[in-house]
Amino acid sequence: MKGTKKLQKICEFGLEAIPPFNFKYTVYKPSHFPTKLENFDEASETMYRTLRLSQNKIIGLKMADLKKVKEREGIMAEVFSNRSLTEQDLQRVRSHISQAYGLNEDISSFYQSVANDTSIQGPIQNLRGMRVSCFETLFEILNISSMLQNTTVKRSEQMMENMLSFFGRKVNYDGRQLYVFYTPQDITQSSEQKLRELKVGYRAKFLMEIANHFSANANLEEKLKTMSFEEAKDKLMEIKGVGPYSARIALFQYLRRPNEINFDSWKRKIFSRCFFGNENETVDKVEKEASKRWRNWMGYAGLYIIEDMFVNNPELQYWGKKDGS
DNA sequence: AGCCAGGACGGAT
DNA sequence: ATCCGTCCTGGC
């Protein structure tokens, strides 16, 4: 890997969000496994996060709650880079942040929609204003989804670290060392054998397939955004290595469809207990009940309950896991 | 020693 | 359409 790039501060700006807005738990999701792509500083409630504008144009962001600066809801962002930036570059950065954190989404309709379900009022009260976050590109979120397949979170973390330390770019700004995500080209120029050496196991083949697909379909993201969610899901699953689980993650996080959630083995148990008082109900039964309660906001409701569990009941957060990681 | 973990594929029914 | 064996790896 190339040496560490030092980024210089370019500018700063504020981005307003439609209230209510919860800065901390929008930019920082305790349930997501940690990577060195970002770092949330608890003491100052500041989020550091990298972004790639092009192969060699790197952005480092330092984000804080706009409320601390102005009497407005939103994000205050300081922009660092290794290059000088055009106004168009800065517009892309603003647009990326706004989309990644759903600043223009009106989530009050979510609260209204689930108002008669008492089981979720606690999490909503605790996390009011939280939105889905997806700072990743589609390529990146599909990589992460692949590394979550059929394994424990601890190993997913290890795979990500191995991949980033070999293929990612290391940057340094405002006293932080972070990685920038690798590109499809970084992977296609390598080999499946190399990926296996990085301990991603049988996923090596899938990660190479995904990289090849994005390398050959430059504007897949734009196409997906013109499709219905059903069409987009089918389109995503045309990529070898992307099945229903990864597709739903992409739909929920990247395309921001609010009703997508995977009742995988540990969430199945958590929601089984939540709905029926035991951990043994089937995926179908759990999903049916979730859909009945939350309809087209099922994914958002699940997010609130899971994040609330990580924030306020850390001792319960690994129900259903065997490794206790 | 065998099974499972924040799945997906390919082939057989 | 649904079912099943298989796949890397590591922890229990």
Side-chain angles (χ1 to χ4, degrees), chain A residues 31 110 117 119-124 127 130 261 270-271 274-275 290 293-294 298-313 317 319:
Chain A
S31 81
F110 164 52
D117 177 20
S119 71
I120 199 176
Q121 298 312 312
I124 287 178
L127 299 170
M130 178 181 74
I261 183 171
I270 288 170
F271 287 95
C274 175
F275 298 152
R293 292 185 183 215
W294 303 319
M298 181 170 62
Y300 240 101
L303 176 71
Y304 267 73
I305 289 173
I306 294 292
E307 295 304 331
D308 184 56
M309 188 178 295
F310 272 72
V311 174
N312 297 310
N313 292 301
Q317 68 193 230
W319 281 352

PDB file of all heavy atoms in Angstrom, chain A residues 31 110 117 119-124 127 130 261 270-271 274-275 290 293-294 298-313 317 319:
ATOM      1  N   SER A  31     -24.585  -0.231  16.392  1.00  0.00           N
ATOM      2  CA  SER A  31     -24.773  -1.632  15.990  1.00  0.00           C
ATOM      3  C   SER A  31     -23.881  -2.023  14.809  1.00  0.00           C
ATOM      4  O   SER A  31     -23.694  -3.198  14.541  1.00  0.00           O
ATOM      5  CB  SER A  31     -26.237  -1.897  15.622  1.00  0.00           C
ATOM      6  OG  SER A  31     -26.511  -1.466  14.306  1.00  0.00           O
ATOM      7  N   PHE A 110     -42.886   8.531   9.744  1.00  0.00           N
ATOM      8  CA  PHE A 110     -42.587   7.246  10.395  1.00  0.00           C
ATOM      9  C   PHE A 110     -43.210   7.214  11.794  1.00  0.00           C
ATOM     10  O   PHE A 110     -43.890   6.251  12.160  1.00  0.00           O
ATOM     11  CB  PHE A 110     -41.074   7.036  10.465  1.00  0.00           C
ATOM     12  CG  PHE A 110     -40.622   5.968  11.424  1.00  0.00           C
ATOM     13  CD1 PHE A 110     -41.158   4.693  11.393  1.00  0.00           C
ATOM     14  CD2 PHE A 110     -39.632   6.250  12.361  1.00  0.00           C
ATOM     15  CE1 PHE A 110     -40.728   3.708  12.288  1.00  0.00           C
ATOM     16  CE2 PHE A 110     -39.201   5.281  13.257  1.00  0.00           C
ATOM     17  CZ  PHE A 110     -39.748   4.006  13.217  1.00  0.00           C
ATOM     18  N   ASP A 117     -48.280   1.565  18.077  1.00  0.00           N
ATOM     19  CA  ASP A 117     -47.523   0.428  18.589  1.00  0.00           C
ATOM     20  C   ASP A 117     -46.709   0.871  19.802  1.00  0.00           C
ATOM     21  O   ASP A 117     -45.711   1.571  19.678  1.00  0.00           O
ATOM     22  CB  ASP A 117     -46.588  -0.122  17.501  1.00  0.00           C
ATOM     23  CG  ASP A 117     -45.728  -1.265  18.034  1.00  0.00           C
ATOM     24  OD1 ASP A 117     -46.109  -1.869  19.066  1.00  0.00           O
ATOM     25  OD2 ASP A 117     -44.681  -1.565  17.431  1.00  0.00           O
ATOM     26  N   SER A 119     -44.780  -0.799  21.731  1.00  0.00           N
ATOM     27  CA  SER A 119     -43.480  -1.445  21.940  1.00  0.00           C
ATOM     28  C   SER A 119     -42.314  -0.634  21.390  1.00  0.00           C
ATOM     29  O   SER A 119     -41.173  -0.823  21.799  1.00  0.00           O
ATOM     30  CB  SER A 119     -43.475  -2.838  21.313  1.00  0.00           C
ATOM     31  OG  SER A 119     -43.459  -2.753  19.906  1.00  0.00           O
ATOM     32  N   ILE A 120     -42.591   0.278  20.494  1.00  0.00           N
ATOM     33  CA  ILE A 120     -41.485   1.011  19.861  1.00  0.00           C
ATOM     34  C   ILE A 120     -41.388   2.460  20.335  1.00  0.00           C
ATOM     35  O   ILE A 120     -40.471   3.186  19.939  1.00  0.00           O
ATOM     36  CB  ILE A 120     -41.625   0.959  18.322  1.00  0.00           C
ATOM     37  CG1 ILE A 120     -40.273   1.278  17.670  1.00  0.00           C
ATOM     38  CG2 ILE A 120     -42.703   1.903  17.821  1.00  0.00           C
ATOM     39  CD1 ILE A 120     -40.278   1.149  16.186  1.00  0.00           C
ATOM     40  N   GLN A 121     -42.278   2.859  21.219  1.00  0.00           N
ATOM     41  CA  GLN A 121     -42.275   4.269  21.643  1.00  0.00           C
ATOM     42  C   GLN A 121     -41.026   4.611  22.466  1.00  0.00           C
ATOM     43  O   GLN A 121     -40.517   5.732  22.397  1.00  0.00           O
ATOM     44  CB  GLN A 121     -43.550   4.614  22.420  1.00  0.00           C
ATOM     45  CG  GLN A 121     -44.833   4.448  21.591  1.00  0.00           C
ATOM     46  CD  GLN A 121     -44.753   5.095  20.211  1.00  0.00           C
ATOM     47  OE1 GLN A 121     -44.344   6.235  20.089  1.00  0.00           O
ATOM     48  NE2 GLN A 121     -45.152   4.346  19.183  1.00  0.00           N
ATOM     49  N   GLY A 122     -40.527   3.655  23.237  1.00  0.00           N
ATOM     50  CA  GLY A 122     -39.310   3.891  24.011  1.00  0.00           C
ATOM     51  C   GLY A 122     -38.131   4.231  23.118  1.00  0.00           C
ATOM     52  O   GLY A 122     -37.512   5.296  23.257  1.00  0.00           O
ATOM     53  N   PRO A 123     -37.793   3.323  22.175  1.00  0.00           N
ATOM     54  CA  PRO A 123     -36.705   3.616  21.235  1.00  0.00           C
ATOM     55  C   PRO A 123     -36.895   4.936  20.478  1.00  0.00           C
ATOM     56  O   PRO A 123     -35.923   5.675  20.279  1.00  0.00           O
ATOM     57  CB  PRO A 123     -36.762   2.422  20.273  1.00  0.00           C
ATOM     58  CG  PRO A 123     -37.266   1.301  21.118  1.00  0.00           C
ATOM     59  CD  PRO A 123     -38.249   1.927  22.080  1.00  0.00           C
ATOM     60  N   ILE A 124     -38.120   5.236  20.088  1.00  0.00           N
ATOM     61  CA  ILE A 124     -38.356   6.494  19.357  1.00  0.00           C
ATOM     62  C   ILE A 124     -38.081   7.696  20.250  1.00  0.00           C
ATOM     63  O   ILE A 124     -37.461   8.673  19.831  1.00  0.00           O
ATOM     64  CB  ILE A 124     -39.798   6.539  18.806  1.00  0.00           C
ATOM     65  CG1 ILE A 124     -39.927   5.575  17.621  1.00  0.00           C
ATOM     66  CG2 ILE A 124     -40.165   7.960  18.384  1.00  0.00           C
ATOM     67  CD1 ILE A 124     -41.319   5.496  17.022  1.00  0.00           C
ATOM     68  N   LEU A 127     -34.267   7.970  20.670  1.00  0.00           N
ATOM     69  CA  LEU A 127     -33.443   8.230  19.472  1.00  0.00           C
ATOM     70  C   LEU A 127     -34.102   9.199  18.493  1.00  0.00           C
ATOM     71  O   LEU A 127     -33.695   9.272  17.325  1.00  0.00           O
ATOM     72  CB  LEU A 127     -33.162   6.902  18.756  1.00  0.00           C
ATOM     73  CG  LEU A 127     -32.394   5.865  19.573  1.00  0.00           C
ATOM     74  CD1 LEU A 127     -32.385   4.511  18.866  1.00  0.00           C
ATOM     75  CD2 LEU A 127     -30.965   6.324  19.830  1.00  0.00           C
ATOM     76  N   MET A 130     -33.229  10.208  14.629  1.00  0.00           N
ATOM     77  CA  MET A 130     -32.230   9.338  13.989  1.00  0.00           C
ATOM     78  C   MET A 130     -32.706   8.889  12.610  1.00  0.00           C
ATOM     79  O   MET A 130     -33.876   8.558  12.431  1.00  0.00           O
ATOM     80  CB  MET A 130     -31.981   8.095  14.853  1.00  0.00           C
ATOM     81  CG  MET A 130     -30.993   7.122  14.226  1.00  0.00           C
ATOM     82  SD  MET A 130     -30.711   5.645  15.215  1.00  0.00           S
ATOM     83  CE  MET A 130     -32.234   4.745  14.935  1.00  0.00           C
ATOM     84  N   ILE A 261     -35.658  -5.174   6.008  1.00  0.00           N
ATOM     85  CA  ILE A 261     -34.873  -5.672   7.145  1.00  0.00           C
ATOM     86  C   ILE A 261     -34.633  -7.164   6.950  1.00  0.00           C
ATOM     87  O   ILE A 261     -35.494  -7.867   6.418  1.00  0.00           O
ATOM     88  CB  ILE A 261     -35.579  -5.405   8.499  1.00  0.00           C
ATOM     89  CG1 ILE A 261     -34.728  -5.870   9.673  1.00  0.00           C
ATOM     90  CG2 ILE A 261     -36.968  -6.032   8.526  1.00  0.00           C
ATOM     91  CD1 ILE A 261     -35.265  -5.441  11.036  1.00  0.00           C
ATOM     92  N   ILE A 270     -33.938 -12.051  18.443  1.00  0.00           N
ATOM     93  CA  ILE A 270     -34.270 -10.836  19.187  1.00  0.00           C
ATOM     94  C   ILE A 270     -35.741 -10.472  19.001  1.00  0.00           C
ATOM     95  O   ILE A 270     -36.467 -10.216  19.965  1.00  0.00           O
ATOM     96  CB  ILE A 270     -33.391  -9.648  18.727  1.00  0.00           C
ATOM     97  CG1 ILE A 270     -31.960  -9.836  19.231  1.00  0.00           C
ATOM     98  CG2 ILE A 270     -33.962  -8.323  19.217  1.00  0.00           C
ATOM     99  CD1 ILE A 270     -30.955  -8.867  18.641  1.00  0.00           C
ATOM    100  N   PHE A 271     -36.201 -10.456  17.740  1.00  0.00           N
ATOM    101  CA  PHE A 271     -37.578 -10.035  17.488  1.00  0.00           C
ATOM    102  C   PHE A 271     -38.574 -11.128  17.835  1.00  0.00           C
ATOM    103  O   PHE A 271     -39.713 -10.836  18.185  1.00  0.00           O
ATOM    104  CB  PHE A 271     -37.733  -9.548  16.047  1.00  0.00           C
ATOM    105  CG  PHE A 271     -37.077  -8.209  15.828  1.00  0.00           C
ATOM    106  CD1 PHE A 271     -35.787  -8.119  15.329  1.00  0.00           C
ATOM    107  CD2 PHE A 271     -37.735  -7.037  16.173  1.00  0.00           C
ATOM    108  CE1 PHE A 271     -35.177  -6.882  15.155  1.00  0.00           C
ATOM    109  CE2 PHE A 271     -37.138  -5.795  15.998  1.00  0.00           C
ATOM    110  CZ  PHE A 271     -35.851  -5.717  15.495  1.00  0.00           C
ATOM    111  N   CYS A 274     -39.061 -10.463  21.371  1.00  0.00           N
ATOM    112  CA  CYS A 274     -39.798  -9.205  21.487  1.00  0.00           C
ATOM    113  C   CYS A 274     -41.288  -9.404  21.212  1.00  0.00           C
ATOM    114  O   CYS A 274     -42.139  -8.914  21.952  1.00  0.00           O
ATOM    115  CB  CYS A 274     -39.194  -8.214  20.496  1.00  0.00           C
ATOM    116  SG  CYS A 274     -40.025  -6.641  20.370  1.00  0.00           S
ATOM    117  N   PHE A 275     -41.621 -10.180  20.190  1.00  0.00           N
ATOM    118  CA  PHE A 275     -43.028 -10.359  19.797  1.00  0.00           C
ATOM    119  C   PHE A 275     -43.724 -11.467  20.573  1.00  0.00           C
ATOM    120  O   PHE A 275     -44.885 -11.347  20.932  1.00  0.00           O
ATOM    121  CB  PHE A 275     -43.137 -10.713  18.302  1.00  0.00           C
ATOM    122  CG  PHE A 275     -42.620  -9.661  17.365  1.00  0.00           C
ATOM    123  CD1 PHE A 275     -42.118 -10.025  16.120  1.00  0.00           C
ATOM    124  CD2 PHE A 275     -42.639  -8.313  17.712  1.00  0.00           C
ATOM    125  CE1 PHE A 275     -41.649  -9.054  15.239  1.00  0.00           C
ATOM    126  CE2 PHE A 275     -42.169  -7.340  16.842  1.00  0.00           C
ATOM    127  CZ  PHE A 275     -41.671  -7.721  15.603  1.00  0.00           C
ATOM    128  N   ALA A 290     -43.761  -8.470  12.224  1.00  0.00           N
ATOM    129  CA  ALA A 290     -43.112  -7.154  12.075  1.00  0.00           C
ATOM    130  C   ALA A 290     -43.822  -6.335  11.004  1.00  0.00           C
ATOM    131  O   ALA A 290     -44.077  -5.138  11.180  1.00  0.00           O
ATOM    132  CB  ALA A 290     -41.643  -7.337  11.717  1.00  0.00           C
ATOM    133  N   ARG A 293     -47.107  -5.011  12.269  1.00  0.00           N
ATOM    134  CA  ARG A 293     -46.993  -3.871  13.191  1.00  0.00           C
ATOM    135  C   ARG A 293     -46.529  -2.601  12.498  1.00  0.00           C
ATOM    136  O   ARG A 293     -46.974  -1.508  12.812  1.00  0.00           O
ATOM    137  CB  ARG A 293     -45.959  -4.189  14.283  1.00  0.00           C
ATOM    138  CG  ARG A 293     -46.408  -5.273  15.225  1.00  0.00           C
ATOM    139  CD  ARG A 293     -45.377  -5.423  16.334  1.00  0.00           C
ATOM    140  NE  ARG A 293     -45.757  -6.526  17.225  1.00  0.00           N
ATOM    141  CZ  ARG A 293     -45.540  -6.521  18.527  1.00  0.00           C
ATOM    142  NH1 ARG A 293     -44.963  -5.479  19.103  1.00  0.00           N
ATOM    143  NH2 ARG A 293     -45.899  -7.541  19.252  1.00  0.00           N
ATOM    144  N   TRP A 294     -45.571  -2.755  11.575  1.00  0.00           N
ATOM    145  CA  TRP A 294     -44.850  -1.568  11.091  1.00  0.00           C
ATOM    146  C   TRP A 294     -45.006  -1.319   9.599  1.00  0.00           C
ATOM    147  O   TRP A 294     -44.467  -0.353   9.075  1.00  0.00           O
ATOM    148  CB  TRP A 294     -43.368  -1.696  11.467  1.00  0.00           C
ATOM    149  CG  TRP A 294     -43.171  -1.868  12.948  1.00  0.00           C
ATOM    150  CD1 TRP A 294     -43.842  -1.207  13.944  1.00  0.00           C
ATOM    151  CD2 TRP A 294     -42.269  -2.762  13.617  1.00  0.00           C
ATOM    152  NE1 TRP A 294     -43.410  -1.619  15.177  1.00  0.00           N
ATOM    153  CE2 TRP A 294     -42.430  -2.575  15.015  1.00  0.00           C
ATOM    154  CE3 TRP A 294     -41.318  -3.685  13.168  1.00  0.00           C
ATOM    155  CZ2 TRP A 294     -41.698  -3.282  15.955  1.00  0.00           C
ATOM    156  CZ3 TRP A 294     -40.589  -4.388  14.110  1.00  0.00           C
ATOM    157  CH2 TRP A 294     -40.780  -4.187  15.493  1.00  0.00           C
ATOM    158  N   MET A 298     -41.118  -1.095   8.370  1.00  0.00           N
ATOM    159  CA  MET A 298     -40.568  -2.229   9.119  1.00  0.00           C
ATOM    160  C   MET A 298     -39.048  -2.124   9.349  1.00  0.00           C
ATOM    161  O   MET A 298     -38.565  -2.387  10.451  1.00  0.00           O
ATOM    162  CB  MET A 298     -40.901  -3.516   8.373  1.00  0.00           C
ATOM    163  CG  MET A 298     -40.424  -4.778   9.028  1.00  0.00           C
ATOM    164  SD  MET A 298     -41.096  -6.241   8.226  1.00  0.00           S
ATOM    165  CE  MET A 298     -40.419  -6.119   6.569  1.00  0.00           C
ATOM    166  N   GLY A 299     -38.327  -1.724   8.324  1.00  0.00           N
ATOM    167  CA  GLY A 299     -36.870  -1.615   8.463  1.00  0.00           C
ATOM    168  C   GLY A 299     -36.466  -0.504   9.417  1.00  0.00           C
ATOM    169  O   GLY A 299     -35.570  -0.665  10.246  1.00  0.00           O
ATOM    170  N   TYR A 300     -37.150   0.614   9.278  1.00  0.00           N
ATOM    171  CA  TYR A 300     -36.851   1.748  10.153  1.00  0.00           C
ATOM    172  C   TYR A 300     -37.160   1.401  11.605  1.00  0.00           C
ATOM    173  O   TYR A 300     -36.393   1.714  12.516  1.00  0.00           O
ATOM    174  CB  TYR A 300     -37.655   2.984   9.710  1.00  0.00           C
ATOM    175  CG  TYR A 300     -36.770   4.146   9.335  1.00  0.00           C
ATOM    176  CD1 TYR A 300     -36.513   4.447   8.004  1.00  0.00           C
ATOM    177  CD2 TYR A 300     -36.182   4.941  10.318  1.00  0.00           C
ATOM    178  CE1 TYR A 300     -35.691   5.512   7.660  1.00  0.00           C
ATOM    179  CE2 TYR A 300     -35.356   5.996   9.978  1.00  0.00           C
ATOM    180  CZ  TYR A 300     -35.114   6.289   8.659  1.00  0.00           C
ATOM    181  OH  TYR A 300     -34.296   7.333   8.334  1.00  0.00           O
ATOM    182  N   ALA A 301     -38.287   0.729  11.821  1.00  0.00           N
ATOM    183  CA  ALA A 301     -38.657   0.326  13.182  1.00  0.00           C
ATOM    184  C   ALA A 301     -37.605  -0.618  13.758  1.00  0.00           C
ATOM    185  O   ALA A 301     -37.177  -0.469  14.907  1.00  0.00           O
ATOM    186  CB  ALA A 301     -40.028  -0.341  13.161  1.00  0.00           C
ATOM    187  N   GLY A 302     -37.175  -1.576  12.928  1.00  0.00           N
ATOM    188  CA  GLY A 302     -36.136  -2.501  13.364  1.00  0.00           C
ATOM    189  C   GLY A 302     -34.858  -1.770  13.735  1.00  0.00           C
ATOM    190  O   GLY A 302     -34.216  -2.071  14.739  1.00  0.00           O
ATOM    191  N   LEU A 303     -34.497  -0.793  12.936  1.00  0.00           N
ATOM    192  CA  LEU A 303     -33.291  -0.001  13.200  1.00  0.00           C
ATOM    193  C   LEU A 303     -33.384   0.703  14.556  1.00  0.00           C
ATOM    194  O   LEU A 303     -32.439   0.670  15.346  1.00  0.00           O
ATOM    195  CB  LEU A 303     -33.101   1.038  12.096  1.00  0.00           C
ATOM    196  CG  LEU A 303     -31.928   1.996  12.281  1.00  0.00           C
ATOM    197  CD1 LEU A 303     -30.604   1.271  12.077  1.00  0.00           C
ATOM    198  CD2 LEU A 303     -32.022   3.177  11.328  1.00  0.00           C
ATOM    199  N   TYR A 304     -34.531   1.307  14.830  1.00  0.00           N
ATOM    200  CA  TYR A 304     -34.696   2.011  16.104  1.00  0.00           C
ATOM    201  C   TYR A 304     -34.569   1.057  17.289  1.00  0.00           C
ATOM    202  O   TYR A 304     -33.934   1.376  18.294  1.00  0.00           O
ATOM    203  CB  TYR A 304     -36.049   2.744  16.141  1.00  0.00           C
ATOM    204  CG  TYR A 304     -35.953   4.178  15.664  1.00  0.00           C
ATOM    205  CD1 TYR A 304     -35.778   4.462  14.303  1.00  0.00           C
ATOM    206  CD2 TYR A 304     -35.997   5.246  16.554  1.00  0.00           C
ATOM    207  CE1 TYR A 304     -35.662   5.766  13.853  1.00  0.00           C
ATOM    208  CE2 TYR A 304     -35.878   6.557  16.113  1.00  0.00           C
ATOM    209  CZ  TYR A 304     -35.712   6.816  14.759  1.00  0.00           C
ATOM    210  OH  TYR A 304     -35.580   8.101  14.340  1.00  0.00           O
ATOM    211  N   ILE A 305     -35.167  -0.123  17.156  1.00  0.00           N
ATOM    212  CA  ILE A 305     -35.128  -1.072  18.270  1.00  0.00           C
ATOM    213  C   ILE A 305     -33.718  -1.616  18.480  1.00  0.00           C
ATOM    214  O   ILE A 305     -33.226  -1.693  19.608  1.00  0.00           O
ATOM    215  CB  ILE A 305     -36.139  -2.220  18.022  1.00  0.00           C
ATOM    216  CG1 ILE A 305     -37.555  -1.660  18.174  1.00  0.00           C
ATOM    217  CG2 ILE A 305     -35.894  -3.377  18.978  1.00  0.00           C
ATOM    218  CD1 ILE A 305     -38.649  -2.613  17.796  1.00  0.00           C
ATOM    219  N   ILE A 306     -33.045  -1.955  17.391  1.00  0.00           N
ATOM    220  CA  ILE A 306     -31.689  -2.492  17.505  1.00  0.00           C
ATOM    221  C   ILE A 306     -30.713  -1.444  18.046  1.00  0.00           C
ATOM    222  O   ILE A 306     -29.926  -1.715  18.966  1.00  0.00           O
ATOM    223  CB  ILE A 306     -31.181  -3.012  16.134  1.00  0.00           C
ATOM    224  CG1 ILE A 306     -32.007  -4.216  15.680  1.00  0.00           C
ATOM    225  CG2 ILE A 306     -29.703  -3.362  16.206  1.00  0.00           C
ATOM    226  CD1 ILE A 306     -31.824  -5.456  16.506  1.00  0.00           C
ATOM    227  N   GLU A 307     -30.768  -0.233  17.489  1.00  0.00           N
ATOM    228  CA  GLU A 307     -29.829   0.796  17.962  1.00  0.00           C
ATOM    229  C   GLU A 307     -30.108   1.145  19.420  1.00  0.00           C
ATOM    230  O   GLU A 307     -29.180   1.336  20.215  1.00  0.00           O
ATOM    231  CB  GLU A 307     -29.911   2.058  17.094  1.00  0.00           C
ATOM    232  CG  GLU A 307     -29.482   1.870  15.647  1.00  0.00           C
ATOM    233  CD  GLU A 307     -28.074   1.318  15.472  1.00  0.00           C
ATOM    234  OE1 GLU A 307     -27.203   1.561  16.337  1.00  0.00           O
ATOM    235  OE2 GLU A 307     -27.834   0.615  14.467  1.00  0.00           O
ATOM    236  N   ASP A 308     -31.376   1.198  19.781  1.00  0.00           N
ATOM    237  CA  ASP A 308     -31.726   1.497  21.172  1.00  0.00           C
ATOM    238  C   ASP A 308     -31.175   0.423  22.102  1.00  0.00           C
ATOM    239  O   ASP A 308     -30.697   0.703  23.199  1.00  0.00           O
ATOM    240  CB  ASP A 308     -33.249   1.600  21.319  1.00  0.00           C
ATOM    241  CG  ASP A 308     -33.644   2.002  22.727  1.00  0.00           C
ATOM    242  OD1 ASP A 308     -33.175   3.052  23.202  1.00  0.00           O
ATOM    243  OD2 ASP A 308     -34.416   1.255  23.367  1.00  0.00           O
ATOM    244  N   MET A 309     -31.221  -0.820  21.620  1.00  0.00           N
ATOM    245  CA  MET A 309     -30.687  -1.925  22.406  1.00  0.00           C
ATOM    246  C   MET A 309     -29.180  -1.772  22.613  1.00  0.00           C
ATOM    247  O   MET A 309     -28.658  -1.986  23.708  1.00  0.00           O
ATOM    248  CB  MET A 309     -30.992  -3.228  21.658  1.00  0.00           C
ATOM    249  CG  MET A 309     -30.683  -4.485  22.419  1.00  0.00           C
ATOM    250  SD  MET A 309     -31.148  -5.917  21.436  1.00  0.00           S
ATOM    251  CE  MET A 309     -32.919  -5.692  21.356  1.00  0.00           C
ATOM    252  N   PHE A 310     -28.476  -1.380  21.567  1.00  0.00           N
ATOM    253  CA  PHE A 310     -27.026  -1.196  21.682  1.00  0.00           C
ATOM    254  C   PHE A 310     -26.672  -0.026  22.588  1.00  0.00           C
ATOM    255  O   PHE A 310     -25.677  -0.044  23.297  1.00  0.00           O
ATOM    256  CB  PHE A 310     -26.394  -0.981  20.298  1.00  0.00           C
ATOM    257  CG  PHE A 310     -26.018  -2.267  19.615  1.00  0.00           C
ATOM    258  CD1 PHE A 310     -26.987  -3.116  19.098  1.00  0.00           C
ATOM    259  CD2 PHE A 310     -24.697  -2.648  19.499  1.00  0.00           C
ATOM    260  CE1 PHE A 310     -26.653  -4.299  18.471  1.00  0.00           C
ATOM    261  CE2 PHE A 310     -24.344  -3.843  18.877  1.00  0.00           C
ATOM    262  CZ  PHE A 310     -25.326  -4.666  18.370  1.00  0.00           C
ATOM    263  N   VAL A 311     -27.520   1.022  22.541  1.00  0.00           N
ATOM    264  CA  VAL A 311     -27.222   2.218  23.331  1.00  0.00           C
ATOM    265  C   VAL A 311     -27.610   2.020  24.790  1.00  0.00           C
ATOM    266  O   VAL A 311     -26.826   2.325  25.695  1.00  0.00           O
ATOM    267  CB  VAL A 311     -27.978   3.444  22.769  1.00  0.00           C
ATOM    268  CG1 VAL A 311     -27.782   4.647  23.692  1.00  0.00           C
ATOM    269  CG2 VAL A 311     -27.501   3.766  21.366  1.00  0.00           C
ATOM    270  N   ASN A 312     -28.792   1.469  25.007  1.00  0.00           N
ATOM    271  CA  ASN A 312     -29.349   1.463  26.363  1.00  0.00           C
ATOM    272  C   ASN A 312     -29.380   0.107  27.055  1.00  0.00           C
ATOM    273  O   ASN A 312     -29.558   0.045  28.260  1.00  0.00           O
ATOM    274  CB  ASN A 312     -30.767   2.050  26.328  1.00  0.00           C
ATOM    275  CG  ASN A 312     -30.744   3.508  25.878  1.00  0.00           C
ATOM    276  OD1 ASN A 312     -29.975   4.308  26.412  1.00  0.00           O
ATOM    277  ND2 ASN A 312     -31.554   3.843  24.889  1.00  0.00           N
ATOM    278  N   ASN A 313     -29.223  -0.978  26.290  1.00  0.00           N
ATOM    279  CA  ASN A 313     -29.186  -2.317  26.896  1.00  0.00           C
ATOM    280  C   ASN A 313     -28.022  -3.116  26.337  1.00  0.00           C
ATOM    281  O   ASN A 313     -28.211  -4.184  25.771  1.00  0.00           O
ATOM    282  CB  ASN A 313     -30.487  -3.070  26.616  1.00  0.00           C
ATOM    283  CG  ASN A 313     -31.666  -2.467  27.324  1.00  0.00           C
ATOM    284  OD1 ASN A 313     -31.687  -2.371  28.551  1.00  0.00           O
ATOM    285  ND2 ASN A 313     -32.658  -2.035  26.561  1.00  0.00           N
ATOM    286  N   GLN A 317     -27.382  -6.893  23.786  1.00  0.00           N
ATOM    287  CA  GLN A 317     -27.222  -6.662  22.348  1.00  0.00           C
ATOM    288  C   GLN A 317     -26.790  -7.888  21.575  1.00  0.00           C
ATOM    289  O   GLN A 317     -26.946  -7.944  20.372  1.00  0.00           O
ATOM    290  CB  GLN A 317     -26.253  -5.527  22.101  1.00  0.00           C
ATOM    291  CG  GLN A 317     -24.831  -5.865  22.487  1.00  0.00           C
ATOM    292  CD  GLN A 317     -23.948  -4.637  22.519  1.00  0.00           C
ATOM    293  OE1 GLN A 317     -22.900  -4.630  21.947  1.00  0.00           O
ATOM    294  NE2 GLN A 317     -24.390  -3.584  23.170  1.00  0.00           N
ATOM    295  N   TRP A 319     -27.860 -11.060  22.111  1.00  0.00           N
ATOM    296  CA  TRP A 319     -28.808 -12.163  22.114  1.00  0.00           C
ATOM    297  C   TRP A 319     -28.714 -12.872  20.789  1.00  0.00           C
ATOM    298  O   TRP A 319     -28.701 -12.253  19.741  1.00  0.00           O
ATOM    299  CB  TRP A 319     -30.241 -11.642  22.185  1.00  0.00           C
ATOM    300  CG  TRP A 319     -30.698 -11.225  23.533  1.00  0.00           C
ATOM    301  CD1 TRP A 319     -30.058 -11.398  24.720  1.00  0.00           C
ATOM    302  CD2 TRP A 319     -31.915 -10.541  23.819  1.00  0.00           C
ATOM    303  NE1 TRP A 319     -30.806 -10.874  25.720  1.00  0.00           N
ATOM    304  CE2 TRP A 319     -31.955 -10.342  25.198  1.00  0.00           C
ATOM    305  CE3 TRP A 319     -32.979 -10.093  23.041  1.00  0.00           C
ATOM    306  CZ2 TRP A 319     -33.006  -9.706  25.819  1.00  0.00           C
ATOM    307  CZ3 TRP A 319     -34.022  -9.463  23.666  1.00  0.00           C
ATOM    308  CH2 TRP A 319     -34.032  -9.276  25.049  1.00  0.00           C
TER     309      TRP A 319
END
